[in-house]
Amino acid sequence: MAVLEVNHIKKVYKARLGAETTALQDVHFSVEKGEFVAIMGESGSGKTTLLNILASLDVPTAGKVLVNGKDFTSLKDDERAVMRRKNLGFIFQDFNLLDNFTIEDNIKLPLVLAGVDYKSMDEKVRPLAGQLGITDLLKKYPFEVSGGQKQRTAVARALITDPQILLADEPTGALDSKAATNLMKQLREIHKGGQTILMVTHSNVAASYADRVMFIRDGEVFHQIYRGDMSRSQMLDKICDTVTVLMRGGEENDG
């Protein structure tokens, strides 16, 4: 069953003097419940615009985006905000934590905004913190912990509402290689537990943890790789080969 359906979306930005820039041409795909999908592409390919539309932070010029069969592109702003809060979790490259809140309070924030009682919050925080290895950090503040620990806090905050889809925007971009590897292993484990994940990344290594990698070029889906029974190292090799083709302008090496 598709939890996310992207139906022929197009996005055109208009400048003041009438000039137009087409960020997305005709993007069409679906994501099954429990799937882990990575989106890759060079800067300017349209992947960030696509993520913003999937996050309901922007609306397409044409086409539809459906979550569990419900088209949210036609909703009013306040309705879209409710849909976003109920269905989506977000992980950002720069963590987006509040420095004057403890790690625990940062994780609880989405539940506070949703009006959840404190007892229920505590029952949700503890197992998540244990799973992500941050239980001993709950009373600390973001400026007291490492980048990897901040990102794991952000993951916990994103998962605390039991989202239908976890959206990750360059989640390893601000991490060193060790912290990035640890984070991706944890995301893979979270995915194995049934969580649907959609991740935008520049990192070939991060993308190799996904079930499927979609490559965006010039506002369209250029190519896809499905893991199938490939190992992670085999998946990484396939991704590197495709990135090389993209860098050559999409032409296969005929030599």
Side-chain angles (χ1 to χ4, degrees):
M1 175 185 173
V3 66
L4 174 68
E5 297 174 71
V6 178
N7 294 335
H8 301 289
I9 62 171
K10 181 177 183 178
K11 182 64 181 181
V12 179
Y13 292 102
K14 294 185 178 181
R16 288 183 179 180
L17 299 178
E20 294 185 349
T21 300
T22 301
L24 297 174
Q25 295 273 5
D26 180 23
V27 177
H28 184 77
F29 65 92
S30 62
V31 176
E32 299 297 310
K33 184 174 178 60
E35 196 175 5
F36 187 172
V37 179
I39 299 174
M40 301 190 75
E42 295 180 308
S43 297
S45 63
K47 65 183 185 302
T48 300
T49 299
L50 175 60
L51 185 68
N52 286 338
I53 290 174
L54 300 182
S56 78
L57 300 173
D58 199 355
V59 292
T61 305
K64 297 180 179 180
V65 177
L66 289 78
V67 175
N68 286 329
K70 185 176 179 61
D71 175 17
F72 70 75
T73 53
S74 60
L75 298 176
K76 296 178 181 177
D77 287 347
D78 56 344
E79 294 173 327
R80 225 171 30 247
V82 171
M83 187 286 307
R84 184 164 57 241
R85 188 169 66 241
K86 288 184 176 180
N87 292 282
L88 305 177
F90 300 92
I91 307 171
F92 304 94
Q93 177 176 338
D94 57 359
F95 320 128
N96 279 16
L97 301 179
L98 299 176
D99 278 337
N100 57 333
F101 279 30
T102 63
I103 295 299
E104 183 173 10
D105 287 340
N106 268 284
I107 296 170
K108 288 180 175 178
L109 185 57
L111 298 182
V112 173
L113 297 175
V116 175
D117 66 89
Y118 282 97
K119 183 179 179 182
S120 298
M121 290 186 202
D122 290 336
E123 290 173 353
K124 279 180 164 287
V125 168
R126 295 297 167 176
L128 265 179
Q131 181 183 7
L132 290 161
I134 54 174
T135 300
D136 60 341
L137 305 177
L138 291 176
K139 300 305 179 184
K140 292 182 178 290
Y141 290 84
F143 58 84
E144 297 179 300
V145 303
S146 69
Q149 291 166 333
K150 288 179 184 178
Q151 196 59 296
R152 279 181 274 157
T153 300
V155 172
R157 180 187 57 193
L159 292 172
I160 197 77
T161 57
D162 300 315
Q164 292 290 318
I165 306 169
L166 182 62
L167 296 174
D169 184 11
E170 300 284 1
T172 63
L175 305 179
D176 60 38
S177 59
K178 182 178 179 181
T181 297
N182 288 338
L183 178 71
M184 291 313 305
K185 286 180 177 178
Q186 288 176 319
L187 286 180
R188 184 72 187 170
E189 286 302 310
I190 289 166
H191 157 254
K192 287 180 179 178
Q195 179 65 56
T196 307
I197 302 175
L198 192 64
M199 173 181 70
V200 166
T201 182
H202 276 102
S203 168
N204 296 353
V205 174
S208 70
Y209 285 86
D211 296 328
R212 172 165 51 124
V213 182
M214 294 194 310
F215 296 87
I216 305 292
R217 187 183 69 174
D218 298 332
E220 297 182 286
V221 178
F222 166 71
H223 184 62
Q224 298 191 61
I225 299 173
Y226 291 83
R227 174 182 294 277
D229 59 0
M230 281 191 288
S231 66
R232 196 184 68 79
S233 62
Q234 290 172 324
M235 185 73 166
L236 179 57
D237 288 342
K238 285 277 189 182
I239 292 167
C240 291
D241 289 345
T242 302
V243 169
T244 300
V245 171
L246 276 170
M247 292 175 66
R248 290 174 177 159
E251 297 179 1
E252 295 286 356
N253 185 357
D254 57 4

